[in-house]
Every structure is written in C-alpha cells, then in structure tokens.
Amino acid sequence: MVDMNLEAYRFSISWSRLIPDGRGAVNPKGLEYYNNLIDALVQHGIQVHIMIYQLDYPQMLEDEYGGWLSPRIVEDFTAFADVCFREFGDRVSYWTTIDEPNVGAMGSYDIGVIAPGHCSDPFGAIKCTVGDSTVEPYIAAHNMLLAHASATTLYREKYQAMQKGVVGLSIYSLWPYPMTNSTADLEATKRCLDFFLGWILEPLMSGDYPERMKKIVGSRLPSFTRIQSEAIIGSADFIGINHYYSVYVNDRPLKKGARDYSADLSISYKASKTDPPAGKAPPTSFPSDPEGLQRVLLYLKEAYGDIPIYIQENGQSSSNDTLVDTERTGYLKSYIGSTLAALRNGVNVKGYFIWAFLDVFEYLSGFQARYGLYRVDFDDEALPRQPRLSGRWYSAFLKKNNDDIDVQTELNSTGWHAEQ
C-alpha cells in the first residue's frame, strides 16, 4: 500500500471473528488481528475506513432468532458496534455500519444467493429450503435500518465527542436509463431509483419509505413508529456507494397475486440496449459507463441535499489472469474522471476507493473474477502478489496528485475527458 501511495484503506470487520457467539465474549485472537492491521495502517500514514458489517453474522444468531428477520438483532448489532468503537475508535474516524442493505436484503431473503440463503418458489435464483420472498427482504432491510440508527446513536452519545469520527451507511447503486422515451419506461426508471436507492436512503432523510414503494408493496412493507422515524432521520453523517455499472430499463406490468421484491419493482433490465434480458441473478458483465456514476452522484445531491458521499467500491473484474489489464486501467481512468466532473458540479464527494486492492475471494464468483490492482497467485501457498498495469497506473496517478499536478490534466493525458 505504501509503495502504491494509497492514502486510505477500507476493510470489513467479521462479526463472527470478533464475537463468535454473536454477543458476549470477544475473541482475543480476532481483536489482535484487527489491532495489528489498524496499527500498521496508522503507522504508515494510511487513513482507516471500517465497514462494521458486510454480509456475514454468527450462526448462533441465525439459529436463535433468524438473524435480520428479528428485531432482536438490533440490540446485538449495537453491542457488536460498541466493541468496534471501543477497541478501535482511538485510531479510526470513518465508520460504515452496514454494507449494501439493499442488495444484502434482496440477495439473502428474496433470491437466496447470499447467506443465509432464504427464498420461496417461484422467486429464488436457487432452490431454497426456507424463506418467504414476498416479505422477508423488506423485514430484513427494515431491521438493518433500525440497527444502523441504533449504532449511530450509540456512537454519537458515547464516543463521538472524544473520537471525533463519522458514521455512515453504504448502498449498492446503479444508474437506470429508460429503454425508450415512453412514459411507462420513464416511470420505470423512477421506480428503479426508489426501490434501489430510496428504499434505504429515504428513511435516513424523511423517516419513511418512498411513496412509490409504499403504494406497490402495501402492508408487506414494515412501518416505522414515530420514535423509530425520529431515530433514523439524520442518522448518517455520510452515504457510501458501491457502483459498477448502468442498466437499460423497460416497464413491466405489475403482476397479480404473490410478488417478491423483483416483481414489485416490475421492470426488465439489460446491460445494454442490444443485450438479452437479464436473469434472476445479477449479470457478471456490463459495458463501462462512467457517465452513469456521474448521474448517480448528481441524483443523490438533488434528492438528498449536500450530504457527504464516499465512493466505497468501483472497479472492473477480469476473468483472465493477465497483468496487462488495459481495459480495467481505462475503466478506472474514466470513472475517476466522472467522479471529478460530479465534484466540479457541486456534489459533496469526499473520497473514492477502488475495488479491489488485491484479488480476493469474491462473494458471488469465488476466485474466478479478479478485481485486484495486484494479482494474487492462488495456486502458490505463499500467495505472491504482483502489480497489474492498473495498479502501476493508479500508483503513478496518486503520486502525481500528491505532488500537486492537476488531476484533470493527468486524466486528459490518458484520453478521458470528463463531461462538464
């Protein structure tokens, strides 16, 4: 990281590693692991950003009360966050409570591709043995929002004055283009934004879900009490977005009878205008569309005001193992350029992280998809690492930026011109 000139590094805490039973005793080895990592980052002048929860929780909580499907998890999550704030907060100022509650709730409780793998026929992308896709995604996301608000309240009351940190929430974002200029397709893009972004972000601003969602989902969408709404409003000091691609959206008539989240959304979408329609699982390959990131950033400013935004993930996978990843290098240049254009248009962007520093085990594709700026040889027990072309470019880019060379000049010299 020092060789690359990284200024900041974001990583997740594993709840199961730190508190194996979900509550109670802290695992000293887990604590030691994270302290060592944080100390080394601080020692080398690298800013630490922590994601408290990223898609995994201790099995004990699933067995005891069904994890995110029970409001009981709010108390346990808050206690877990308390351990993180207490143990690491003297060196950490940037906290994200929950990673992608929109995708986490849908992937875990509607289509079943993310643990604990809940879904119900005919909605699942896999054959699930447990679940109800028509209500569980909404219940899980609701409890995630309550857990986020509870952890933020705890931080502000107990730690913020001394530690001077900030707490935010992350969402998965994409930009929807209408397939045609028909009224129905234009309305479908608005619905897409409400179901993807508004589902999680609207409660943080207004204390309630978007009106479009409430009308379509009806009584299957949980409601907030007045006290819960008051706790959730303003509970994010910043928004984190994970952004990779755009989609083309067609309206689809709302189905009669039982509906899951996807049926409620009532759209069909493609990676590009000429592609076949996407299946139930997220497509793995999309064309680069840096303008989509700029549009998302401008939309967030328009919809939610001047809240600080961190791009916490942005990158491109490669299915081959090459070190000469020319396409990804171009992708990163163009998306950094569109981020800069949004910044110059008044969006309060505070930071940008590439996914990923190293090749890692990817949640949906294991070791097949490689996002790393550094290649990892998984066939060698020592796991040796080599910088890819994208890593060498990014390192030089950061060094030039640190030396006060104009960022736009550097991007333009690579052939990318940010839309002003």
Side-chain angles (χ1 to χ4, degrees):
M1 291 180 199
V2 174
D3 290 346
M4 184 174 268
N5 306 303
L6 284 196
E7 297 171 354
Y9 182 68
R10 182 182 74 92
F11 66 90
S12 308
I13 303 283
S14 167
W15 191 344
S16 306
R17 174 185 260 165
L18 200 60
I19 310 173
D21 291 337
R23 70 174 80 85
V26 176
N27 170 22
K29 288 288 187 187
L31 195 59
E32 180 186 28
Y33 171 84
Y34 290 116
N35 272 322
N36 288 345
L37 175 55
I38 292 166
D39 286 345
L41 290 166
V42 171
Q43 182 188 337
H44 289 93
I46 298 169
Q47 198 178 75
V48 184
H49 290 243
I50 284 184
M51 180 74 69
I52 297 173
Y53 174 84
Q54 186 154 3
L55 300 178
D56 76 299
Y57 57 86
Q59 183 67 37
M60 186 87 75
L61 305 185
E62 177 69 14
D63 297 342
E64 190 175 326
Y65 54 66
W68 288 112
L69 297 177
S70 168
R72 288 176 59 186
I73 200 167
V74 174
E75 184 181 344
D76 286 336
F77 178 80
T78 307
F80 164 48
D82 193 9
V83 171
C84 295
F85 299 145
R86 182 183 74 229
E87 298 293 341
F88 312 130
D90 58 328
R91 292 151 291 159
V92 177
S93 300
Y94 300 91
W95 299 96
T96 308
T97 52
I98 298 174
D99 181 58
E100 302 179 351
N102 50 351
V103 164
M106 180 181 55
S108 297
Y109 298 99
D110 182 358
I111 60 174
V113 295
I114 297 173
H118 282 217
C119 63
S120 57
D121 281 341
F123 305 112
I126 63 170
K127 196 74 180 165
C128 298
T129 57
V130 64
D132 183 349
S133 297
T134 68
V135 295
E136 287 188 1
Y138 299 115
I139 294 167
H142 192 77
N143 288 327
M144 288 176 190
L145 284 165
L146 295 175
H148 158 78
S150 175
T152 302
T153 300
L154 171 84
Y155 185 78
R156 288 174 176 173
E157 290 176 353
K158 193 172 172 181
Y159 297 102
Q160 198 165 36
M162 186 184 299
Q163 295 180 359
K164 311 245 182 318
V166 288
V167 183
L169 185 67
S170 142
I171 55 163
Y172 189 87
S173 83
L174 48 74
W175 183 253
Y177 294 104
M179 185 68 74
T180 72
N181 285 326
S182 68
T183 305
D185 283 1
L186 289 167
E187 182 61 29
T189 62
K190 293 176 184 173
R191 201 163 55 244
C192 190
L193 288 167
D194 275 350
F195 270 75
F196 259 89
L197 308 183
W199 182 20
I200 307 304
L201 298 182
E202 188 65 35
L204 301 178
M205 309 299 162
S206 72
D208 202 1
Y209 294 113
E211 287 302 319
R212 277 187 190 87
M213 283 195 80
K214 288 163 66 174
K215 187 175 175 185
I216 292 168
V217 183
S219 61
R220 290 177 292 125
L221 190 64
S223 53
F224 297 106
T225 66
R226 184 180 59 80
I227 291 170
Q228 287 171 340
S229 285
E230 287 170 0
I232 288 171
I233 292 172
S235 62
D237 297 319
F238 65 86
I239 296 168
I241 67 168
N242 299 347
H243 184 94
Y244 294 89
Y245 55 78
S246 303
V247 292
Y248 286 84
V249 170
N250 265 129
D251 177 63
R252 212 173 56 186
L254 200 61
K255 288 180 181 173
K256 304 291 184 194
R259 292 196 305 266
D260 67 339
Y261 169 90
S262 297
D264 289 333
L265 179 52
S266 64
I267 63 166
S268 56
Y269 67 92
K270 300 179 181 182
S272 70
K273 282 197 170 183
T274 55
D275 271 19
K280 287 183 177 178
T284 53
S285 177
F286 282 85
S288 173
D289 179 43
E291 186 186 334
L293 174 57
Q294 187 178 340
R295 285 174 180 258
V296 165
L297 292 168
L298 290 167
Y299 173 81
L300 291 174
K301 177 180 169 60
E302 183 186 332
Y304 304 114
D306 202 35
I307 189 163
I309 299 169
Y310 287 86
I311 297 161
Q312 294 186 323
E313 288 183 23
N314 174 240
Q316 188 180 55
S317 73
S318 170
S319 54
N320 64 29
D321 211 3
T322 181
L323 289 171
V324 188
D325 55 343
T326 313
E327 187 180 343
R328 174 165 38 216
T329 306
Y331 176 102
L332 296 175
K333 290 173 186 173
S334 63
Y335 276 80
I336 292 170
S338 65
T339 303
L340 179 62
L343 189 63
R344 289 183 168 164
N345 279 303
V347 182
N348 193 7
V349 183
K350 292 292 191 185
Y352 170 90
F353 293 86
I354 288 174
W355 186 271
F357 176 58
L358 301 164
D359 287 339
V360 295
F361 184 87
E362 294 291 342
Y363 209 100
L364 295 176
S365 51
F367 295 121
Q368 301 309 307
R370 291 172 173 266
Y371 282 84
L373 295 169
Y374 277 77
R375 175 188 181 270
V376 178
D377 184 351
F378 293 113
D379 294 327
D380 184 330
E381 279 186 13
L383 300 176
R385 302 180 281 272
Q386 290 174 280
R388 290 193 168 98
L389 175 66
S390 57
R392 297 200 301 276
W393 174 81
Y394 191 54
S395 176
F397 173 74
L398 292 175
K399 187 172 191 306
K400 284 181 180 176
N401 192 15
N402 285 337
D403 292 342
D404 293 324
I405 286 180
D406 182 66
V407 177
Q408 187 66 61
T409 304
E410 165 63 15
L411 289 166
N412 285 348
S413 72
T414 62
W416 161 254
H417 298 271
E419 178 187 321
Q420 297 301 314

